[in-house]
Amino acid sequence: MHLTEGHCNENLPGMVRLQISSDEQPRNVSAAHIKAVAQRLFAERGVDGVTVREIAAAAGQKNHGAVGYYFGSKEALVREIIVDGAAAIDARRNAALDRLEQDGGPRTVREVVDVLIFPAVAADPGEGDYTCFITMLAMTHRDLMMDALADRLNIGYRRCLDHLRRLMPDMPPALKNQRFIFIGNYLNAVLSARQRALADESRRHPTWDAEETLDHFARSVVAIIEMPPADTETHAAEAAPEYDAEYGRAG
């Protein structure tokens, strides 16, 4: 997968890694800071709209080749960001599902929807831009995103879909999967809008600041899932090929 890098060439194959002086921050601290800065810039402008020089400068790195030194390439940096955020969200989702299943649940669509939404709402300040980042990446470099996830960091999401298939109204599998595509995009769009608004400290955002907003959002997702299909939809779905409800966020 090719990531546009403008005129910069810090990440060419065979590049000589930089010598980092002993008075710089420890490697793991510097790498984590670069990842956080890169995630914020990618969330704002997309991965093709940010160069490695800009990332290094924004991270306070004096040497513009810092991204190459710590990660090897821009694509490797993007992959690490994908994996870090997805792993954190997936762990929270799986833990929530484990608790529900131990108690014999989940018993309602709302319980599953809460597992889809709330683990994706940043629990760590470092995850603050992740939903915006992954939503934009899915639109421009979906193959890279799916390859990085490798069907191992969206287990909680897939478990949620399995429970929803059981709890949804009776309808053809193609219609269920179509609704999963709807809610996957809906989740990404709304949670991204929420993150962007909350990151804007220039003014108040009454809708997104309100505690009731996420509850209202969850109820709207439940309504999409629980709406009975129209007869015309059922007949059309039975004649159509089945949709692929593959994972669409990290959320």
Side-chain angles (χ1 to χ4, degrees):
M1 174 62 64
H2 175 69
L3 300 181
T4 303
E5 184 52 39
H7 298 292
C8 296
N9 63 355
E10 289 87 351
N11 298 328
L12 291 176
M15 63 173 286
V16 177
R17 289 199 164 190
L18 306 174
Q19 295 298 315
I20 303 298
S21 60
S22 59
D23 60 344
E24 292 200 45
Q25 300 176 63
R27 185 187 188 284
N28 60 337
V29 175
S30 294
H33 180 58
I34 290 171
K35 277 197 289 188
V37 169
Q39 178 175 293
R40 173 176 58 80
L41 294 176
F42 292 153
E44 293 172 355
R45 292 148 55 184
V47 296
D48 293 328
V50 183
T51 68
V52 293
R53 285 180 177 270
E54 290 171 326
I55 295 168
Q61 294 289 321
K62 296 179 181 179
N63 202 310
H64 291 158
V67 170
Y69 174 80
Y70 288 113
F71 301 97
S73 69
K74 181 180 177 182
E75 180 174 324
L77 168 61
V78 171
R79 285 177 177 272
E80 282 205 27
I81 296 172
I82 294 170
V83 168
D84 287 353
I89 293 170
D90 197 49
R92 293 195 290 267
R93 279 200 179 122
N94 281 307
L97 287 170
D98 288 345
R99 289 191 293 271
L100 287 169
E101 289 172 357
Q102 287 170 6
D103 192 39
R107 297 181 176 86
T108 66
V109 168
R110 175 59 192 265
E111 287 181 322
V112 182
V113 167
D114 283 351
V115 177
L116 285 171
I117 293 174
F118 290 97
V121 176
D124 184 314
E127 296 176 42
D129 307 291
Y130 185 77
T131 299
C132 295
F133 157 75
I134 204 69
T135 299
M136 189 172 292
L137 187 71
M139 292 188 292
T140 58
H141 294 285
R142 185 175 182 80
D143 290 344
L144 171 61
M145 182 190 76
M146 298 304 296
D147 185 62
L149 292 174
D151 286 332
R152 59 188 171 83
L153 295 175
N154 57 354
I155 294 172
Y157 188 88
R158 292 183 181 277
R159 288 173 68 189
C160 285
L161 298 192
D162 287 341
H163 283 298
L164 289 176
R165 288 187 180 95
R166 172 177 57 84
L167 295 165
M168 290 170 74
D170 184 40
M171 65 183 78
L175 274 188
K176 291 185 177 182
N177 285 339
Q178 191 177 62
R179 291 200 186 179
F180 295 155
I181 292 171
F182 294 162
I183 65 171
N185 284 281
Y186 185 33
L187 288 168
N188 287 341
V190 172
L191 294 181
S192 292
R194 177 180 180 274
Q195 279 190 354
R196 290 189 187 282
L198 295 180
D200 176 14
E201 299 179 352
S202 64
R203 61 187 179 88
R204 290 188 64 250
H205 299 275
T207 296
W208 301 115
D209 289 336
E211 293 183 4
E212 298 82 6
T213 298
L214 285 179
D215 176 68
H216 187 195
F217 174 45
R219 287 187 285 115
S220 71
V221 176
V222 170
I224 293 172
I225 295 170
E226 291 188 335
M227 181 181 66
D231 290 341
T232 53
E233 290 176 319
T234 300
H235 296 323
E238 288 172 345
E242 190 166 318
Y243 286 88
D244 179 8
E246 72 178 9
Y247 180 61
R249 103 178 149 61

